[in-house]
């Protein structure tokens, strides 16, 4: 996605621009393990959670698939060892179709493979949401779309050369909504939620 800095500033938030320019300025390391996504990724202290200094947090609160595409060069230029991607719920909340989210996630994966062929890409399912708190209504009413995107991401893993990780089901209650023990707003995670996430993906990280 080719945008000028000025047009990006207009399209994305000031926080996005603050974080993007910071990530651009940070040095690259060998064998980086990158966590890439929106606020749910941004909120995790990944290097501490895994006790691994090679892990880099490249989450930006409020980010969307187009935002990830616009800043993707910083991710692949270090030829990272692994990339763990979780993105899409903000697109859905802003009226983007589930097909649009699916297409853009595949574009992110394909671009990483093209620019950094040795990088292993892990696409994590979108997490469940819960509307019981009355917060983030534009996000927490997208449960059906989340399931659709996840189903497509699972089915396309082999064709696009990524590993699909189903983190959704371990966070969902019997109704398919985010368990209250993991979130206090129906969208973002509490500490226990991050510990659950780590437990699900630790074998892939290590």
């Amino acid at each position: 996605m080719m945008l000028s800095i000025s047009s990006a500033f207009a399209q994305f938030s000031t926080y996005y621009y603050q974080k993007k320019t910071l990530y651009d300025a940070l040095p690259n390391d060998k064998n980086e393990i990158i966590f890439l996504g929106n606020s749910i990724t941004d909120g995790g202290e990944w290097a501490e959670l895994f006790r691994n200094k090679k892990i880099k947090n490249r989450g930006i609160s409020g980010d969307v698939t187009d935002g990830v595409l616009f800043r993707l060069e910083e991710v692949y230029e270090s030829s990272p060892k692994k990339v763990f991607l979780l993105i899409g719920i903000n697109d859905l909340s802003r009226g983007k179709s589930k097909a649009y989210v699916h297409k853009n996630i595949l574009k992110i994966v394909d671009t990483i493979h093209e620019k950094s062929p040795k990088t292993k890409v892990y696409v994590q399912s979108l997490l469940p949401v819960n509307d019981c708190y009355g917060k983030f209504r534009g996000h927490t009413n997208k449960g059906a779309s989340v399931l659709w995107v996840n189903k497509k991401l699972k089915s396309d893993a082999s064709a696009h050369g990524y590993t699909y990780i189903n983190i959704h089901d371990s966070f969902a209650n019997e109704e398919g909504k985010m368990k209250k023990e993991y979130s206090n707003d129906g969208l973002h995670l509490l500490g226990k939620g991050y510990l659950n996430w780590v437990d699900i993906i630790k074998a892939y990280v290590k």
Side-chain angles (χ1 to χ4, degrees), residues 144-159:
S145 294
V146 164
L147 291 176
W148 186 94
V149 172
N150 288 344
K151 183 177 180 180
K152 295 291 287 184
L153 292 176
K154 181 180 180 180
S155 67
D156 287 333
S158 179

Side-chain angles (χ1 to χ4, degrees), residues 10-121:
Q11 178 168 346
F12 306 124
S13 69
T14 53
Y15 181 75
Y16 172 94
Y17 187 67
Q18 292 158 8
K19 295 292 282 191
K20 180 187 182 302
T21 55
L22 172 60
Y23 293 155
D24 289 342
L26 292 173
N28 291 324
D29 292 324
K30 292 182 179 180
N31 298 317
E32 289 182 344
I33 299 173
I34 293 178
F35 279 68
L36 179 61
N38 52 35
S39 60
I40 303 170
T41 297
D42 195 358
E45 300 294 344
W46 300 107
E48 291 182 82
L49 285 165
F50 284 101
R51 295 181 173 88
N52 186 339
K53 294 181 179 179
K54 290 293 185 180
I55 296 178
K56 304 296 181 69
N57 190 333
R58 293 297 181 264
I60 297 182
S61 181
D63 207 3
V64 292
T65 54
D66 283 330
V68 170
L69 284 166
F70 181 67
R71 62 187 176 96
L72 200 55
E73 182 177 358
E74 188 278 326
V75 173
Y76 63 67
E77 68 179 359
S78 66
S79 298
K81 185 176 181 179
K82 301 177 181 181
V83 172
F84 288 83
L85 175 67
L86 173 57
I87 196 72
I89 191 64
N90 291 327
D91 293 69
L92 296 174
S93 75
R94 297 178 189 184
K96 296 293 185 182
S97 70
K98 54 194 179 184
Y100 185 92
V101 174
H102 169 242
K103 179 192 71 174
N104 265 8
I105 291 174
L106 295 183
K107 188 183 296 185
I108 292 167
V109 172
D110 292 344
T111 302
I112 295 172
H113 284 322
E114 176 188 353
K115 300 296 184 179
S116 182
K118 294 183 179 180
T119 298
K120 294 181 180 179
V121 180

